[in-house]
Amino acid sequence: MDPLIDRALARALERAVARAGAPGLTGRIRFTERQLYYEVCRALRPLHAYPRRVRRTPAPPVPYERFEAALRRYADGGGDLGGLLGGGGGGGSRVAPLAEPCEPDLYDYGLPRLLVCQSRSVARMLLANDLHLEAACPVLAADDLPLDPRLVAGLGRVDGATVHVLHDASAAGMALTARVRDGVEGAPGPVRVVSLGLVPRHAMALHLVAGKGKGEGPGKRAGEGPGLPAGLPATLTARERAWLAAGRFAEVESVPPARLLRTVLRLVCGPRTPVHSVWTGLRTLRTAGFMTWPAENRPGGETRTTDDEPATRNPVQG
Amino acid sequence: MARFVACLAPTPERSAGHLAAMGAAVRYGAGAGGGAVRTPHLALVTDEPGYATGPFAAYGRTAVGEVTLHNRPDLLEALTVAGDPAPPGCPDGELLLRCWVRLGAAGIRAAEGMFALAVHEHAEGGGPDELVLIRDHMGARTLFYARADDTWTAATSLRALRRWPALVAAGGTGLDLAAVRSFLTFAYLPGEETLLRGVREVLPGRCLRLAADGTVTETHYWEPEERLKAGGDGAASPAPYVLRLRELLEEATAMRLPPGEDVGVLLSGGVDSSLVTALAAKLHDHPVHTYSISFGDELPNELGYSGLVAAHCRTRHRILTVSGDAVAARLAEAAALLDSPVGDPLTVPNLMLAEAVAGDGLRVVLNGEGGDPVFGGPKNLPMLVQEMHRRRGDLPDDGYGDGYGHGDDVRATAYLRSYRKCFADLPDLLTPEALHALTGLPAPQRFVTPYLRPEARDGRMDHLLNQLLHCNLRTKGAHHILTKVERLTASQSVQGRSPLFDRRVVDHAFATPPRWKLNGATEKWVLKESVRDLLPDTVVDRPKSGMRVPVQQWLGGPLRELADDLLLGREARARGLFRPDTVRAWLRGEGALLPRQGGKLWLVLTLELWLRAYDIS
C-alpha cells in the first residue's frame, strides 16, 4: 500500500463524512456506506464540479475494497463517522413479513403515493432521514415486491395514487418499473407507476461515478455485464444505449445524499400535471425513466437549470 | 377586564398578604342574596385583560373565575331538577360554582363554555381549607398554580405568579430548561409545564384539589372516549354520522352567537372557517361580519376562496392587509400578551384581526379552529405510514443519535419529528452547556406518549387515527390554538369562540368510525359532508393549503435587524441557550436541507421576546 495514497484517502474520508452528513430534513443526514464511498470519490476527484454540458461519468478513483480498509482504519482510530448508517444498510435481505398491527385501522385509509427503491440500502437511507414522514409515503425496496395487498388496496382508494420507482441507471434498474407495474395490477382503482430515474443521461449530466461490468462494489452487480437486454425504454438515446451496452451503470447511491433527498422529496410530493396526449398510454413511454435533478440548494428555494427535465407522469391503469 | 388570583395560606391574614404582594385587589363581590362576599383568599388582577369576575358565594363556598357559559338554560334546568334552583340572573361564575357544589363533577361536565374557576372550600368538621381549581373541557381558558411558603396560589395571570415574592424567593420563577426544550420541539408548551420552574398549568378537563398540607388530588371530569358501535367501523353507512354532526354543529354555533348583536367570523377561506361562516349566516338574526388576511398582493393568499364564501353567505367582508413592517413593530407586544410563548407567525395578524373586530364594535368573533384536531387534518397520514414501517421493523435503529428512540418510545419520537420544528436540531441549536443541563430532565415525549402508547390501558383509544386526534386535541388544541385565541382576543375585549371545539361535537367525532374522518385520502370527510349543502363545492373539496406566512421574507426584511440584535446580541449570548453559529447560519438561509430556517428562527425569536417580556434571565 502506498502510504501517501492512504493518507489522502483518510483526509478525503474525513471531508466526505462531513459533506455526506450535511443538514437534512430533520437534523443531520444519515447515509449509507456506499454513499460515503461515492462522497470519497468526489473528494478525491472532484469532477462533479464540471459544467453540465460536459457529459461524462468518471470511473471510480479508488476501489471499494481500498475504501473499506480505509474506513476500518478511520473508525479504529476514533474518527467521527457522523451519520453513517449501521448494519443492514447494504444488504439485500428481505425484512420480516408485515406484522399484524395493534390498531385495527392502520390499513383502512388511502395512500396517495408509495416509493419503491431498487436498493434496500437506499430505502433504509430515505427512511432514516424521515422521507416517509415528510412525504407521507411508504418507502419499500424492490425485494419487497409484490406489494402487500393492503398497500395496493390503500393506493386504490385514492384517485391519482402514484407508485414512484427509484432505480439505478442500469439495464436491470430500468426494467424495475415494469415489474412494479405488474405488482399493482390488482388495485381496486387506477394506480400510476412512474419512474424517477436514474437514466444514463442523468448520470452523465451529474458526472456520477459509474462502474463497469462485474465486480464493482460488494458484489452488487454480479450477473450484469456488457450487452443490452431487450425491453429497454424506447426513449433512450443512442449514446445512452451505447453507455449501457458497454456494461456501465450508475447507482442511486452515487448521487450526493442531500441532493438525493431533496430531489426525491420534490418529485414524490410535487404537484403533478396530468399529461393528456395520444402518447400517454404507450407502454414504451411508461417505462421511460426521467428524473429532474435540481441545482444545489440556494436560500429561498430550489432553482432549475436548463438541464433539468420535467418528470413524466404517465397515467397507467392498474 | 381582569384576571384572578386565589391564595390558600395557613392563615387568612397570610393569604391576604400574599395577594397584596402580587398586586391583586381583594374585592367584595355579590353573594346569592345580593350581599357582599368577603374573603381574604380570592382577588382580581385589574390591570390585565381577561374576563375574571367575583368573588361569588354559594352554599358556603366562595369562588372567583373567568367563566363564559354557552348553555345556561341547560344548567339552570339541571339545578332545578336537583332541587336547588339558581337565581335566574346570577353571573356565569356563580352558576358554575352552584353546579360544582350541587352536582359535582357531573355539573362541570354538563357545562359548555370557556372557564377557569377557583373555589375556596372550608373543610367540613373544622379541618383545613382547600382550594379547588377547575379548567374547562377543551382548555379555552388557562389557569396556573404554584406553591411557596406553605401557600398555594392559583391565577389566570402568569405575571401575577411571576411577581409573587414568596415564589421568587423560593427560586420558582427561574427559567425551566426542560420547558425550553418542549417549546422548541412543539412551538408551544404542550402540557402542565410553564417556562417558570415552579409554576404548573391545570390541564383541561380536570379538577385539582389543593390541600393545605401541600398534596394535590386530580380528577378527570371529562376526557374524550372512543365510543364506536360494534361492527360499525366498516360497512355502516356514514349518513347517520353526517346528519347527527350537522345537528350538533348547528347547536354548537347557535349557542355561541351573541343574542341581539352582530357577530364576526375569522374567515381564512379553508373549509373549517367557511363552514362556521355559513352556519353563523344561516342561524344568526343579526349581520355577520367576516375578516380575512392578506400579506400583500405579491404573495399567494386564499382571498379568492374567502371572498367566494363571503359572497355566498352574504356577509360584511373585510380584508386586513398585514405588512412585514406591522409584524416587526408589534411582535414584542403580541409575545408579551401570551402566558406561554407560541412560535406561530400568525400571532400579530391574529392580534390585528381582533383589533379590527373590536373596531367594528363587535364583542364576539367565531373561528374555525378545531377542525383538524377533532376531525383529522393533514398531519395524520405521515404517522400512519410511520406505523406501517415500524410494524415491518424496517426503520433503522442503530443507536445513532436520539432521533428514533427505542421500544415504546419510537412512536412518540416519530410524532415529535413529524412536527418539523426544532426537535431534531437541538444538538446543533443549543449550547453544550444547555444540552448538559438537560441531561436527565424529563423528555418531551412524555407529553404525547399517554395518547399514543400502544399498550392496553384504561381509556385507551383502540384506533390509531383516534389516538393521533386525541393527542392533537390535548396538546396543540388546548395549549396552542385555544389559548392563543383567548389571549389575543381578550386583549381587545373580544371573545373568540370555537364551535368546532364544542364538547358534544368532539364526543361525536370520537364516536364516528375513523374511516369516515379520513376517507381514502380525504381529510375531515364527515365534517365536509355535513355542510356540503351550505358551501360551494370549490371550497368543500379543495385540499388543505394552510395559511402561507412569509416568515423568511420578514426575517430578511423588516425583522432583519431586530432578529440580529435579539438573537445574537449581548443579552441572548449571556443567556447562553443558543449556539450563535447555528443562529447565524439560519439567518443566512443556510444549515437546513429545505428552506425552513425561517420557521425555526421564528421559534427562537418568539422565545427570546417572551423571556424579555417576562424579565426572565
Side-chain angles (χ1 to χ4, degrees), chain B residues 80-200:
Chain B
T80 302
V81 169
D84 257 326
C90 70
D92 281 357
E94 183 183 329
L95 180 56
L96 191 65
L97 172 63
R98 286 173 176 275
C99 288
W100 165 246
V101 178
R102 273 293 168 258
L103 306 173
I108 300 297
R109 199 179 305 124
E112 186 65 57
M114 309 184 288
F115 51 83
L117 186 75
V119 183
H120 179 252
E121 297 197 341
H122 299 286
E124 292 175 9
D129 294 354
E130 292 181 323
L131 194 60
V132 177
L133 308 179
I134 303 171
R135 190 174 175 197
D136 62 59
H137 307 66
M138 300 297 161
R141 294 216 164 123
T142 45
L143 183 53
F144 306 98
Y145 65 102
R147 183 168 174 85
D149 191 24
D150 296 329
T151 300
W152 284 113
T153 296
T156 50
S157 161
L158 193 72
R159 282 182 196 283
L161 289 169
R162 170 74 184 88
R163 60 179 178 249
W164 182 21
L167 189 62
V168 174
T173 56
L175 180 61
D176 187 332
L177 205 53
V180 170
R181 177 165 60 184
S182 301
F183 174 75
L184 295 170
T185 298
F186 288 89
Y188 56 88
L189 294 179
E192 79 288 348
E193 268 180 333
T194 73
L195 283 168
L196 302 185
R197 197 179 302 129
V199 181
R200 288 287 173 266

Side-chain angles (χ1 to χ4, degrees), chain A residues 30 86 110 127 130 132 134, chain B residues 386 398 404 417 464 520 596:
Chain A
R30 302 172 76 184
L127 287 169
D130 287 345
H132 62 300
E134 190 74 28
Chain B
Q386 155 77 18
D398 58 356
Y404 274 96
R417 295 173 76 92
L464 183 53
R596 290 191 183 141

Side-chain angles (χ1 to χ4, degrees), chain B residues 279-453:
Chain B
L279 288 167
K282 178 186 175 199
L283 300 169
H284 201 36
D285 53 7
H286 275 66
V288 174
H289 302 240
T290 46
Y291 300 83
S292 298
I293 291 180
S294 161
F295 295 114
D297 294 339
E298 70 281 8
L299 294 168
N301 59 58
E302 298 183 292
L303 294 180
Y305 293 99
S306 59
L308 187 65
V309 173
H312 186 80
C313 300
R314 298 181 181 169
T315 64
R316 299 181 183 179
H317 192 48
R318 274 185 68 182
I319 297 168
L320 194 70
T321 300
V322 177
S323 68
D325 289 328
V327 172
R330 305 198 61 184
L331 192 55
E333 176 191 353
L337 285 170
L338 300 167
D339 294 297
S340 294
V342 171
D344 172 347
L346 285 172
T347 48
V348 171
N350 286 153
L351 177 61
M352 293 172 71
L353 278 171
E355 272 180 351
V357 172
D360 286 345
L362 307 186
R363 295 193 305 159
V364 172
V365 62
L366 306 183
N367 58 59
E369 303 287 3
D372 287 343
V374 178
F375 290 98
K379 298 292 176 66
N380 301 300
L381 192 53
M383 282 302 294
L384 292 167
V385 171
Q386 155 77 18
E387 195 58 20
M388 291 173 192
H389 279 297
R390 195 172 79 87
R391 290 284 147 202
R392 287 165 49 91
D394 53 2
L395 289 173
D397 186 13
D398 58 356
Y400 167 72
D402 63 351
Y404 274 96
H406 299 271
D408 296 338
D409 212 20
V410 173
R411 189 184 283 181
T413 304
Y415 190 84
L416 302 187
R417 295 173 76 92
S418 73
Y419 251 73
R420 301 178 185 173
K421 304 302 179 193
C422 292
F423 177 64
D425 298 298
L426 292 175
D428 289 327
L429 176 60
L430 294 176
T431 59
E433 295 76 20
L435 288 170
H436 178 72
L438 279 167
T439 308
L441 294 183
Q445 281 90 339
R446 73 188 189 281
F447 295 110
V448 298
T449 299
Y451 308 105
L452 304 177
R453 190 167 52 209

Side-chain angles (χ1 to χ4, degrees), chain A residues 13-106:
Chain A
L13 195 51
E14 196 171 351
R15 289 201 302 277
V17 167
R19 291 184 58 166
L25 291 171
T26 48
R28 297 199 155 262
I29 291 178
R30 302 172 76 184
F31 48 87
T32 67
E33 189 177 293
R34 282 193 81 74
Q35 285 178 315
L36 182 60
Y37 165 66
Y38 286 115
E39 200 67 58
V40 167
C41 291
R42 282 188 288 275
L44 289 171
R45 191 187 290 167
L47 298 182
H48 59 285
Y50 275 25
R52 282 195 169 198
R53 63 177 175 276
V54 179
R55 304 218 164 207
R56 55 172 301 181
T57 50
V62 58
Y64 198 86
E65 292 72 19
R66 190 153 194 178
F67 156 78
E68 282 184 309
L71 182 61
R72 277 195 298 274
R73 285 196 301 277
Y74 182 77
D76 291 345
D80 177 20
L81 291 174
L84 180 64
L85 284 161
S93 61
R94 199 180 170 88
V95 297
L98 288 171
E100 284 307 312
C102 290
E103 292 82 8
D105 61 326
L106 183 57

Side-chain angles (χ1 to χ4, degrees), chain B residues 14 67 82 109 170 203 206 254 265 330 332 354 369 377 386 566 582:
Chain B
R14 281 176 63 183
V67 182
R109 199 179 305 124
L203 295 178
R206 314 280 173 94
V265 184
R330 305 198 61 184
E369 303 287 3
Q386 155 77 18
L566 286 177
T582 300

Side-chain angles (χ1 to χ4, degrees), chain A residues 127-152:
Chain A
L127 287 169
N129 287 289
D130 287 345
L131 186 109
H132 62 300
L133 285 176
E134 190 74 28
C137 176
V139 180
L140 304 179
D143 56 14
D144 291 323
L145 296 176
L147 293 175
D148 184 278
R150 290 174 294 186
L151 295 175
V152 176

